[in-house]
């Protein structure tokens, strides 16, 4: 018999490690910030996060990796901020909202990507 709980735990830990590690550039950027930071891909799925973001997420850190940010932080201000960012030409959008008793300032940046 094989204990699947050990395999599932190891898998979730690996996902959490991948989330916190992120890309080299992203990890260097977000490691020193006190604010919660999540880096998302073009489908708005979390690909990297700092410890403050993981602490803000109510579930297991392994579940946060590749989760849509609007699902990870289910508040209207996140959807609103991304909507404004994607609809306009500005490189960033800012909005304010609340998550439970916490007041949040949500800032979304569009990062330039290099192709090739």
């Amino acid at each position: 018999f094989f204990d699947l709980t050990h395999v599932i735990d190891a898998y979730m830990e690996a996902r959490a490690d991948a989330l916190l590690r992120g890309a080299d550039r992203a990890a260097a950027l977000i490691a020193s910030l006190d604010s919660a930071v999540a880096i998302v891909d073009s489908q708005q799925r979390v690909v990297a996060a700092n410890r403050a973001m993981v602490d803000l997420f109510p579930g297991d850190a392994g579940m946060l990796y590749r989760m849509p940010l609007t699902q990870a932080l289910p508040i209207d201000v996140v959807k609103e901020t991304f909507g404004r960012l994607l609809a306009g030409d500005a490189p960033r959008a800012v909005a304010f909202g609340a998550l439970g008793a916490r007041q949040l300032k949500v800032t979304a940046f569009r990062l330039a990507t290099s192709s090739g």
Side-chain angles (χ1 to χ4, degrees):
F1 294 100
F2 193 71
D3 185 4
L4 287 179
T5 58
H6 177 69
V7 173
I8 292 170
D9 287 344
Y11 174 73
M12 294 305 286
E13 286 179 29
R15 285 177 60 98
D17 288 344
L19 172 72
L20 290 169
R21 187 175 50 251
D24 291 338
R25 185 175 88 171
L29 170 68
I30 66 178
S32 63
L33 298 176
D34 291 334
S35 299
V37 176
I39 297 177
V40 298
D41 62 12
S42 61
Q43 297 173 330
Q44 298 178 14
R45 296 176 305 183
V46 178
V47 295
N50 66 353
R51 177 56 60 189
M53 177 64 193
V54 171
D55 292 343
L56 188 61
F57 179 65
D60 184 89
M63 297 299 296
L64 182 58
Y65 185 60
R66 299 275 187 206
M67 177 181 281
L69 186 61
T70 55
Q71 186 178 350
L73 294 175
I75 54 176
D76 291 337
V77 71
V78 173
K79 291 179 186 179
E80 172 191 330
T81 306
F82 273 109
R84 288 188 318 158
L85 183 68
L86 296 173
D89 292 330
R92 76 178 183 141
V94 179
F96 296 89
L99 179 62
R102 294 179 106 158
Q103 294 298 313
L104 302 176
K105 175 183 177 184
V106 177
T107 305
F109 293 93
R110 183 179 311 132
L111 299 177
T113 59
S114 60
S115 58

